[in-house]
Every structure is written in structure tokens, then in C-alpha cells.
Amino acid sequence: MNTDLALVLLLLAAAVAMFVLNKPRMDAVALLMIVLLPLTGVITTNEALAGFSDPNIVLIAALFVIGEGLVRTGVARRLGDWLDRKAGSSSSRMLVLLMLAVGALGSLMSSTAVVAIFIPVVLRISKNTGTPPSQLMMPLSVAALTSGMLTLVATTPNLVVNAELMRRGAQGFSFFSFTPFGLPLLLLAVVYMLFARRWLPAAAKGAGGDQRQTSLRQWIDQYHLADREHRMRVLPGSPVIGKRREDFVVRASGISLLAVERPIRFGTELIRPQPRTEFQAGDILLFDIEPASLDIPALCGQYSLKELPLAEGAGYYTDHSQELGMVEVILPADSELIGHTIREARVRRDVGLTAIGLRRGAVVLGQNLLDRKLDVGDTLLLIGYWSDIDRLGSARENMVVINRPAEFDEVLPAARLAPQALAVLAVVVGLMVSGVVPNVQAALIGCLLMGLLGCVDLNSGYRSISWQSIVLIVGMLPFSIALQRTGGVDLAADGLIAVVGNATPRMVLATLFVITALLGLFISNTATAVLMAPVALAIAKDLGASPYPFAMIVALAASAAFMTPISSPVNTLVVGPGNYVFGDFVKVGVPFTIIVMIVSVLLVPWLLPLR
């Protein structure tokens, strides 16, 4: 062993030790390695920083942006809600559905891409159910890594091994050659994680604070709003057609027009009722009406309106919670509203919100709301558009915001663009599967399309990238160059050939799996496949055996990167959201890697004969 190799191995051991101790944090360790490796003289500073221009790093960053587009448009939410509905109250069913969904999508596109897309989905599920993210993020990464064993294009190591086969004159693998191995391993991964999740940290629930936050439904119950929601359609020939809102005044106390739901080409839109808003036939008027304040059938008859049934399962316009929301405000001692009735205060004119509830201490005052005089410390419940509620937070002259519901944080900035976001995702997946352009270019095209269609903007795109994960991956990439340059890889390959030369074929396959998996602890699984595929095929030739089982075992082992957070970008991405430490991956990953090795060594010679 030369001095340079000794220095590189010493730095690698130091990095692994700091990862195990979790001091300092992982991205800080990666930055430290970027600084120290060039000081050994083995690589240059430019080579140490080259990871920032690596296509895989750019791909990961681009996929974060695509994932943000899916979040902002509600695609991730709908997927999470679907999984939530199907799983019900069963955490085991949730884990199974999540892993199967990740495995299915990961068989067609980069596993790194799948994890980047599913992280916000899992965080939403965690928030809704109170399940700690740590209980779901590790199953997510395990399913994504296992999905790389399902098809030829599922992960880069498969393509690397296949290219080496073809370079040596073999036919190569077909698209589904990996499926007979990957499918049983995916199902095995699901069963394993149902057991192994007990080893994962269960503290710091992802939605602990949010679960205590007030919801719209709680306010509906507290302020007795359930019977005040009324939807009325404007019928053809109605006298209100063509009239402005300022001209349509119902002479009764306790009635407020909150919004107008208007049919458009591809659905409906909710219109803010401005004084000059003109009503059209087919409009649905959303009213807040105090019980017993007026005769509803008489109102419908007078204005040719048809009362509609309320949305099933919704309560007081919660089905419009993406546009309409509520907020509680308190009146300070110097408020100009003190001593005035709500009608006189003209809250709607000043802040664009409608008062629908009044609480004095713990007592809710419901009847004749608009004619009650306001006092110091009164709490008003206001309803209106989220944009007006957001602006109200900075206006403290006459009222102070004391409580916003949990739904305030759930508002989607681009909820109506979900079809466009799905179309962009389909284009990206199609380009990756077809191989028309490199994966990184397909992802960048997806980023541009997301921005062009309005699914993301520049600020949200930059904020969506997990720079901690990016720095960690970049900081570990130079070790691959350093180990090759100092002869560390050649030394390992020569030693492997010397050890397994006279062993049985199954023992050779097992040894290849172990060496490939161990090498993957320190360098990327792609680099591992590049280094080990020639070794495996050379051994197959020496033994006079078929090259296919040896190539397959290397591909499967390269994807079995479960043991550390730096074994694969897939693991690195879930470290932060799952709040994991190095040891969490060791506890879960090492036993499963052994299981995968045993199953692979049994299946590969059976399905791909050695002779």
C-alpha cells in the first residue's frame, strides 16, 4: 500500500467515523472532505469540486423542482390523500401501499427522481395522520432502491452492467430481465419493513404542533355555522341577471354574499363579489344566512333562484378551502370599532372579509350578529379569501389576528394547474424511459415546462432544492476518483480474483455480492457497477460460466445500497426529512442487505443457468 492510498483511506475512515457519531452534521463532513482531499495531492481542487457539475447532481436538483411543482399544484396532496383514504387508520396498510406505489413508479424512472417526488407526499401523510416521518421515510428509500431491481432502465448500475455485457460481445439484458428478481425482492422489502420499522425513531412526530392547531371544522362547530351555508343558482330569466352586486341588496338582516361560483370551460371558478360584479345565468351564489333571519323559499321565488343541496361531506364551504378561509381577530382597547355594531364597522369594506361569528370571552353570540355592538376584547370570526386573510396579518390598527386555522398552511399556490403538472411529469418519465435524451436533460426540460406553465416560480424552485443533500453527495464523490487513482480499486479487484478463483459458483456469486455491496458503502452505486462489472465478467470467463448470472449479481448488489446514508443519493435524500442518524441505516439496512444477498444467490443461478 502506497502513502497516497493510506492517506485517502485514513480520510475515508475519518469521514465514516464522523457519520457514525453524527458530529458534525453530514453536509459539514462532506465540505471538510472537499477541503482535505486536495491537500493530499491525490486529486486537484477542481476535481474535488467537480461534483457540482456532475449530471447526477444536476438531475437531483432538477427533480426537487419538479417535485415542488407537484406539491404546489396539489398532485402530491391528492396522491397522499388517496393513500391516506385507502390505508384508513392502519399504519401497516399505509406502509404497504406507499412502498408498492414507489416501487411501481421507480421501475420506470430514476429511483432518485421517485424519492424527490414522494418526499412531500410522505410529509403530508405524516402531517395528516400524526405518524412520525421517520416511520415512513426509510420504507420510502428501501422501496425506491429495490425498484431499481425491477427493469433495465430503473437505475444507472443496470445500464452500466448491460453496457459491459454488450461490449464483451454478449447479447445484453432485455427490459424485463430484472423483473423476476426485483419483484420478489420488492415484496420481501415490504414484509421486512413491516417488522423493521420498530427499529426506527418514533419521537418528534411530524405534525405534532399542527395537530393542536385549530381547524375550520372546529370553528364551524364552535360558532354554530353548519346551518348557515346556502347555495343558490341563478335561473334563466332571473331579475338579478346583468345586475351588479351593489344593486342586488336583500333587505334583511343576517345575510351576506360570500362568493360567486361561475361555470367555465373546464370546471368552475370562484369569483370575489366586488361591488361591480355582474351576475350571469348559471351563477351559484354562496350565502351566509343566519337561521330564521328570512324566508328562504320566498327569497328564491322573488329572485328566480334555486337552492342547491350542500356538498356531501363538506361543512360551511370547507369544499372551497383552497379559496375561502377563516380567521379569528381580537379587538384591542384602541380599536376604532369599539362601540359600533358590526354593520356600522363595515369590516368587509375595510379588509375584504365578512364577520360571521362573535365571541365574548368563552360565550359565542350568534343571533342578530350584525347589530351587536362591539366591546374591547371581543373576538370576531371572519371569512373571506386567503389573500385578504394574509394581508390582515400585517394590519393591526383595529383588530389583531390571534388564530389562523391549519388549512391556512394547506393552501396551494397553483391548485388549478394540476393537469399541467401531471402532463409535465408524463413528458419527463417518457423521455427517461425512451432514452431520447439523457435523464438530466429530461429533468431540466421538466423544470422549464413547470416554470413556463406557472406550476413553480423561480423563488419557490430554488427554495425546494435540498442543498444539504446536494452538498453531502458532492462531498463524497471525490473519493471515487481518489481510490481509483491511488490503486485502491485495482488492489481490491486483484485480491477478489485471488480469493474466489477456486470456490464453487454460488460462493463466487455470494462473494461478488458482498464485495460490491461493501464497495458501495464508500462510492456511488454507479461507480461500483463500473468497477465490479469487468471483474465479475472476467471471473465468469475464467470459470467457463455464462456471464449473465455474474453480471446480474453485480447489478442487484449495486442497488442493495441500504446500509448507510451515503450508499446512495436515495438514502441521502431522506436523512433530513426522516431525522435519521447514521446508525438508523445500519440497524435497518445491514440485515436486509444480507437477506437480499441470500435470495439473490438462490434465484440468480436458478433463473440464469451458470452453464
Short mmCIF file of all heavy atoms in Angstrom, two decimals, residues 374-416:
data_model
loop_
_atom_site.label_atom_id
_atom_site.label_comp_id
_atom_site.label_asym_id
_atom_site.label_seq_id
_atom_site.Cartn_x
_atom_site.Cartn_y
_atom_site.Cartn_z
N LEU A 374 -69.79 46.20 19.48
CA LEU A 374 -68.51 45.57 19.78
C LEU A 374 -67.88 46.17 21.01
O LEU A 374 -68.01 47.38 21.28
CB LEU A 374 -67.56 45.71 18.57
CG LEU A 374 -68.06 45.06 17.28
CD1 LEU A 374 -67.15 45.42 16.11
CD2 LEU A 374 -68.15 43.55 17.44
N ASP A 375 -67.16 45.34 21.76
CA ASP A 375 -66.53 45.77 23.00
C ASP A 375 -65.06 45.36 22.99
O ASP A 375 -64.63 44.52 22.18
CB ASP A 375 -67.24 45.15 24.20
CG ASP A 375 -67.01 45.93 25.48
OD1 ASP A 375 -66.19 46.88 25.46
OD2 ASP A 375 -67.63 45.59 26.50
N VAL A 376 -64.28 45.94 23.88
CA VAL A 376 -62.86 45.60 23.99
C VAL A 376 -62.70 44.11 24.31
O VAL A 376 -63.39 43.58 25.19
CB VAL A 376 -62.18 46.44 25.09
CG1 VAL A 376 -60.72 46.02 25.26
CG2 VAL A 376 -62.27 47.92 24.77
N GLY A 377 -61.80 43.44 23.59
CA GLY A 377 -61.53 42.04 23.83
C GLY A 377 -62.46 41.09 23.11
O GLY A 377 -62.29 39.87 23.21
N ASP A 378 -63.45 41.63 22.37
CA ASP A 378 -64.32 40.76 21.58
C ASP A 378 -63.50 40.04 20.51
O ASP A 378 -62.56 40.61 19.95
CB ASP A 378 -65.43 41.56 20.90
CG ASP A 378 -66.59 41.87 21.85
OD1 ASP A 378 -66.55 41.38 22.99
OD2 ASP A 378 -67.50 42.62 21.45
N THR A 379 -63.89 38.80 20.26
CA THR A 379 -63.24 38.02 19.20
C THR A 379 -64.20 37.87 18.04
O THR A 379 -65.33 37.41 18.21
CB THR A 379 -62.84 36.62 19.71
OG1 THR A 379 -61.90 36.78 20.78
CG2 THR A 379 -62.19 35.80 18.60
N LEU A 380 -63.77 38.28 16.86
CA LEU A 380 -64.57 38.16 15.65
C LEU A 380 -64.04 37.01 14.81
O LEU A 380 -62.82 36.84 14.67
CB LEU A 380 -64.51 39.45 14.82
CG LEU A 380 -65.33 40.65 15.31
CD1 LEU A 380 -65.03 41.86 14.43
CD2 LEU A 380 -66.82 40.33 15.28
N LEU A 381 -64.94 36.22 14.24
CA LEU A 381 -64.59 35.21 13.26
C LEU A 381 -64.93 35.77 11.89
O LEU A 381 -66.09 36.11 11.61
CB LEU A 381 -65.34 33.91 13.50
CG LEU A 381 -65.04 32.77 12.52
CD1 LEU A 381 -63.59 32.28 12.68
CD2 LEU A 381 -66.00 31.61 12.70
N LEU A 382 -63.92 35.90 11.03
CA LEU A 382 -64.10 36.48 9.71
C LEU A 382 -63.90 35.41 8.65
O LEU A 382 -63.09 34.50 8.82
CB LEU A 382 -63.09 37.62 9.49
CG LEU A 382 -63.03 38.71 10.56
CD1 LEU A 382 -61.94 39.73 10.21
CD2 LEU A 382 -64.38 39.39 10.72
N ILE A 383 -64.61 35.54 7.53
CA ILE A 383 -64.45 34.63 6.41
C ILE A 383 -64.17 35.44 5.15
O ILE A 383 -64.65 36.57 5.01
CB ILE A 383 -65.72 33.75 6.21
CG1 ILE A 383 -65.46 32.68 5.12
CG2 ILE A 383 -66.94 34.60 5.85
CD1 ILE A 383 -66.59 31.67 4.98
N GLY A 384 -63.39 34.88 4.27
CA GLY A 384 -63.07 35.55 3.01
C GLY A 384 -61.97 34.83 2.28
O GLY A 384 -61.63 33.68 2.61
N TYR A 385 -61.39 35.49 1.32
CA TYR A 385 -60.32 34.89 0.53
C TYR A 385 -59.02 34.88 1.33
O TYR A 385 -58.75 35.79 2.11
CB TYR A 385 -60.14 35.67 -0.78
CG TYR A 385 -61.18 35.33 -1.82
CD1 TYR A 385 -62.48 35.81 -1.71
CD2 TYR A 385 -60.88 34.49 -2.88
CE1 TYR A 385 -63.45 35.49 -2.65
CE2 TYR A 385 -61.83 34.16 -3.83
CZ TYR A 385 -63.13 34.66 -3.70
OH TYR A 385 -64.08 34.33 -4.62
N TRP A 386 -58.24 33.81 1.12
CA TRP A 386 -57.00 33.66 1.86
C TRP A 386 -56.06 34.84 1.64
O TRP A 386 -55.30 35.22 2.55
CB TRP A 386 -56.29 32.37 1.47
CG TRP A 386 -56.94 31.12 1.98
CD1 TRP A 386 -57.52 30.13 1.24
CD2 TRP A 386 -57.07 30.70 3.34
NE1 TRP A 386 -58.00 29.13 2.05
CE2 TRP A 386 -57.74 29.46 3.34
CE3 TRP A 386 -56.70 31.26 4.56
CZ2 TRP A 386 -58.03 28.77 4.52
CZ3 TRP A 386 -56.99 30.58 5.74
CH2 TRP A 386 -57.64 29.36 5.70
N SER A 387 -56.06 35.42 0.45
CA SER A 387 -55.18 36.56 0.18
C SER A 387 -55.53 37.74 1.09
O SER A 387 -54.64 38.45 1.56
CB SER A 387 -55.29 36.97 -1.29
OG SER A 387 -56.64 37.24 -1.65
N ASP A 388 -56.83 37.96 1.35
CA ASP A 388 -57.23 39.04 2.26
C ASP A 388 -56.85 38.69 3.70
O ASP A 388 -56.45 39.57 4.47
CB ASP A 388 -58.74 39.27 2.16
CG ASP A 388 -59.14 39.84 0.81
OD1 ASP A 388 -58.35 40.59 0.23
OD2 ASP A 388 -60.24 39.51 0.33
N ILE A 389 -56.99 37.41 4.06
CA ILE A 389 -56.60 36.99 5.40
C ILE A 389 -55.10 37.17 5.61
O ILE A 389 -54.66 37.61 6.68
CB ILE A 389 -57.01 35.51 5.63
CG1 ILE A 389 -58.54 35.39 5.69
CG2 ILE A 389 -56.38 34.96 6.90
CD1 ILE A 389 -59.04 33.97 5.75
N ASP A 390 -54.32 36.87 4.59
CA ASP A 390 -52.87 37.04 4.68
C ASP A 390 -52.50 38.50 4.88
O ASP A 390 -51.63 38.84 5.68
CB ASP A 390 -52.22 36.48 3.42
CG ASP A 390 -50.72 36.29 3.58
OD1 ASP A 390 -50.28 36.02 4.71
OD2 ASP A 390 -49.99 36.44 2.59
N ARG A 391 -53.18 39.40 4.14
CA ARG A 391 -52.90 40.83 4.29
C ARG A 391 -53.33 41.34 5.66
O ARG A 391 -52.73 42.26 6.21
CB ARG A 391 -53.61 41.62 3.19
CG ARG A 391 -52.94 41.53 1.83
CD ARG A 391 -53.48 42.59 0.89
NE ARG A 391 -54.90 42.38 0.61
CZ ARG A 391 -55.36 41.65 -0.39
NH1 ARG A 391 -54.51 41.03 -1.19
NH2 ARG A 391 -56.65 41.52 -0.59
N LEU A 392 -54.38 40.75 6.21
CA LEU A 392 -54.88 41.18 7.52
C LEU A 392 -53.83 40.99 8.60
O LEU A 392 -53.81 41.72 9.59
CB LEU A 392 -56.15 40.39 7.86
CG LEU A 392 -56.88 40.78 9.15
CD1 LEU A 392 -57.42 42.20 9.04
CD2 LEU A 392 -58.00 39.80 9.43
N GLY A 393 -52.94 40.03 8.43
CA GLY A 393 -51.93 39.76 9.44
C GLY A 393 -51.00 40.92 9.70
O GLY A 393 -50.42 41.04 10.77
N SER A 394 -50.83 41.81 8.70
CA SER A 394 -49.93 42.95 8.87
C SER A 394 -50.69 44.23 9.21
O SER A 394 -50.08 45.27 9.40
CB SER A 394 -49.12 43.16 7.58
OG SER A 394 -49.99 43.37 6.48
N ALA A 395 -52.01 44.18 9.25
CA ALA A 395 -52.82 45.36 9.57
C ALA A 395 -53.32 45.22 11.01
O ALA A 395 -54.23 44.47 11.30
CB ALA A 395 -53.99 45.47 8.60
N ARG A 396 -52.72 45.98 11.94
CA ARG A 396 -53.02 45.80 13.36
C ARG A 396 -53.70 47.03 13.98
O ARG A 396 -53.77 47.15 15.19
CB ARG A 396 -51.72 45.52 14.12
CG ARG A 396 -51.04 44.23 13.69
CD ARG A 396 -49.75 44.01 14.46
NE ARG A 396 -49.18 42.72 14.14
CZ ARG A 396 -49.44 41.60 14.81
NH1 ARG A 396 -50.29 41.63 15.80
NH2 ARG A 396 -48.89 40.45 14.46
N GLU A 397 -54.24 47.94 13.17
CA GLU A 397 -54.80 49.15 13.73
C GLU A 397 -56.06 48.88 14.56
O GLU A 397 -56.17 49.31 15.70
CB GLU A 397 -55.13 50.16 12.62
CG GLU A 397 -53.91 50.72 11.91
CD GLU A 397 -53.42 49.78 10.81
OE1 GLU A 397 -54.08 48.75 10.58
OE2 GLU A 397 -52.38 50.07 10.20
N ASN A 398 -57.01 48.17 13.96
CA ASN A 398 -58.31 47.99 14.60
C ASN A 398 -58.56 46.57 15.09
O ASN A 398 -59.49 46.34 15.88
CB ASN A 398 -59.44 48.41 13.65
CG ASN A 398 -59.43 49.91 13.38
OD1 ASN A 398 -59.26 50.70 14.30
ND2 ASN A 398 -59.58 50.28 12.12
N MET A 399 -57.81 45.63 14.61
CA MET A 399 -58.00 44.25 15.03
C MET A 399 -56.68 43.50 14.94
O MET A 399 -55.84 43.83 14.10
CB MET A 399 -59.08 43.57 14.17
CG MET A 399 -58.82 43.63 12.68
SD MET A 399 -60.21 42.97 11.70
CE MET A 399 -61.43 44.25 11.92
N VAL A 400 -56.51 42.53 15.79
CA VAL A 400 -55.26 41.77 15.85
C VAL A 400 -55.58 40.30 15.59
O VAL A 400 -56.46 39.73 16.24
CB VAL A 400 -54.58 41.93 17.22
CG1 VAL A 400 -53.32 41.07 17.28
CG2 VAL A 400 -54.25 43.39 17.48
N VAL A 401 -54.88 39.71 14.64
CA VAL A 401 -55.07 38.30 14.33
C VAL A 401 -54.54 37.46 15.49
O VAL A 401 -53.40 37.61 15.92
CB VAL A 401 -54.34 37.91 13.03
CG1 VAL A 401 -54.43 36.40 12.80
CG2 VAL A 401 -54.94 38.65 11.85
N ILE A 402 -55.40 36.57 16.01
CA ILE A 402 -54.98 35.71 17.12
C ILE A 402 -54.96 34.24 16.74
O ILE A 402 -54.34 33.43 17.44
CB ILE A 402 -55.87 35.91 18.36
CG1 ILE A 402 -57.33 35.59 18.03
CG2 ILE A 402 -55.73 37.32 18.90
CD1 ILE A 402 -58.24 35.53 19.25
N ASN A 403 -55.62 33.87 15.66
CA ASN A 403 -55.67 32.45 15.32
C ASN A 403 -56.01 32.27 13.85
O ASN A 403 -57.01 32.82 13.37
CB ASN A 403 -56.73 31.75 16.18
CG ASN A 403 -56.49 30.25 16.28
OD1 ASN A 403 -55.52 29.73 15.73
ND2 ASN A 403 -57.38 29.55 16.95
N ARG A 404 -55.16 31.54 13.17
CA ARG A 404 -55.46 31.13 11.79
C ARG A 404 -55.55 29.61 11.76
O ARG A 404 -54.79 28.94 12.46
CB ARG A 404 -54.39 31.63 10.82
CG ARG A 404 -54.46 33.11 10.59
CD ARG A 404 -53.52 33.58 9.50
NE ARG A 404 -52.11 33.44 9.87
CZ ARG A 404 -51.13 34.14 9.32
NH1 ARG A 404 -51.39 35.03 8.39
NH2 ARG A 404 -49.89 33.95 9.70
N PRO A 405 -56.43 29.05 10.96
CA PRO A 405 -56.64 27.59 11.00
C PRO A 405 -55.50 26.84 10.34
O PRO A 405 -54.68 27.40 9.60
CB PRO A 405 -57.95 27.41 10.22
CG PRO A 405 -57.94 28.54 9.24
CD PRO A 405 -57.30 29.70 9.97
N ALA A 406 -55.48 25.54 10.59
CA ALA A 406 -54.45 24.68 9.99
C ALA A 406 -54.52 24.73 8.47
O ALA A 406 -53.50 24.61 7.79
CB ALA A 406 -54.61 23.25 10.47
N GLU A 407 -55.71 24.96 7.93
CA GLU A 407 -55.88 24.99 6.46
C GLU A 407 -55.13 26.14 5.81
O GLU A 407 -54.87 26.11 4.61
CB GLU A 407 -57.37 25.08 6.11
CG GLU A 407 -58.17 23.81 6.33
CD GLU A 407 -58.61 23.61 7.76
OE1 GLU A 407 -58.24 24.44 8.63
OE2 GLU A 407 -59.32 22.62 8.03
N PHE A 408 -54.76 27.17 6.60
CA PHE A 408 -54.01 28.30 6.04
C PHE A 408 -52.69 27.84 5.44
O PHE A 408 -52.24 28.36 4.42
CB PHE A 408 -53.77 29.35 7.13
CG PHE A 408 -53.04 30.57 6.64
CD1 PHE A 408 -53.70 31.56 5.95
CD2 PHE A 408 -51.68 30.72 6.88
CE1 PHE A 408 -53.02 32.69 5.50
CE2 PHE A 408 -51.00 31.83 6.44
CZ PHE A 408 -51.67 32.83 5.75
N ASP A 409 -52.07 26.83 6.10
CA ASP A 409 -50.79 26.31 5.61
C ASP A 409 -50.96 25.29 4.49
O ASP A 409 -49.98 24.83 3.92
CB ASP A 409 -50.01 25.66 6.76
CG ASP A 409 -49.70 26.65 7.87
OD1 ASP A 409 -49.41 27.81 7.55
OD2 ASP A 409 -49.76 26.26 9.06
N GLU A 410 -52.23 24.94 4.20
CA GLU A 410 -52.51 23.93 3.19
C GLU A 410 -52.89 24.53 1.84
O GLU A 410 -53.16 23.80 0.89
CB GLU A 410 -53.66 23.03 3.67
CG GLU A 410 -53.37 22.28 4.95
CD GLU A 410 -52.56 21.04 4.70
OE1 GLU A 410 -52.78 20.38 3.67
OE2 GLU A 410 -51.69 20.73 5.52
N VAL A 411 -52.94 25.85 1.78
CA VAL A 411 -53.38 26.49 0.54
C VAL A 411 -52.35 26.27 -0.56
O VAL A 411 -51.15 26.49 -0.38
CB VAL A 411 -53.61 28.00 0.76
CG1 VAL A 411 -54.02 28.67 -0.54
CG2 VAL A 411 -54.68 28.22 1.81
N LEU A 412 -52.81 25.82 -1.71
CA LEU A 412 -51.94 25.53 -2.85
C LEU A 412 -51.82 26.76 -3.73
O LEU A 412 -52.84 27.31 -4.17
CB LEU A 412 -52.49 24.36 -3.66
CG LEU A 412 -52.65 23.05 -2.90
CD1 LEU A 412 -53.40 22.04 -3.75
CD2 LEU A 412 -51.30 22.51 -2.49
N PRO A 413 -50.59 27.20 -4.04
CA PRO A 413 -50.44 28.40 -4.86
C PRO A 413 -50.91 28.22 -6.30
O PRO A 413 -51.22 29.20 -6.98
CB PRO A 413 -48.92 28.66 -4.82
CG PRO A 413 -48.42 27.87 -3.66
CD PRO A 413 -49.32 26.69 -3.55
N ALA A 414 -50.93 26.98 -6.80
CA ALA A 414 -51.29 26.75 -8.21
C ALA A 414 -52.20 25.54 -8.32
O ALA A 414 -51.97 24.64 -9.12
CB ALA A 414 -50.02 26.57 -9.04
N ALA A 415 -53.27 25.55 -7.53
CA ALA A 415 -54.13 24.36 -7.44
C ALA A 415 -54.79 24.01 -8.77
O ALA A 415 -55.07 22.84 -9.04
CB ALA A 415 -55.20 24.59 -6.37
N ARG A 416 -55.03 24.99 -9.63
CA ARG A 416 -55.73 24.72 -10.88
C ARG A 416 -54.82 24.19 -11.99
O ARG A 416 -55.26 23.93 -13.09
CB ARG A 416 -56.43 26.00 -11.38
CG ARG A 416 -57.49 26.50 -10.41
CD ARG A 416 -58.29 27.65 -10.99
NE ARG A 416 -59.29 28.12 -10.04
CZ ARG A 416 -60.47 27.55 -9.86
NH1 ARG A 416 -60.80 26.49 -10.57
NH2 ARG A 416 -61.33 28.03 -8.96
#
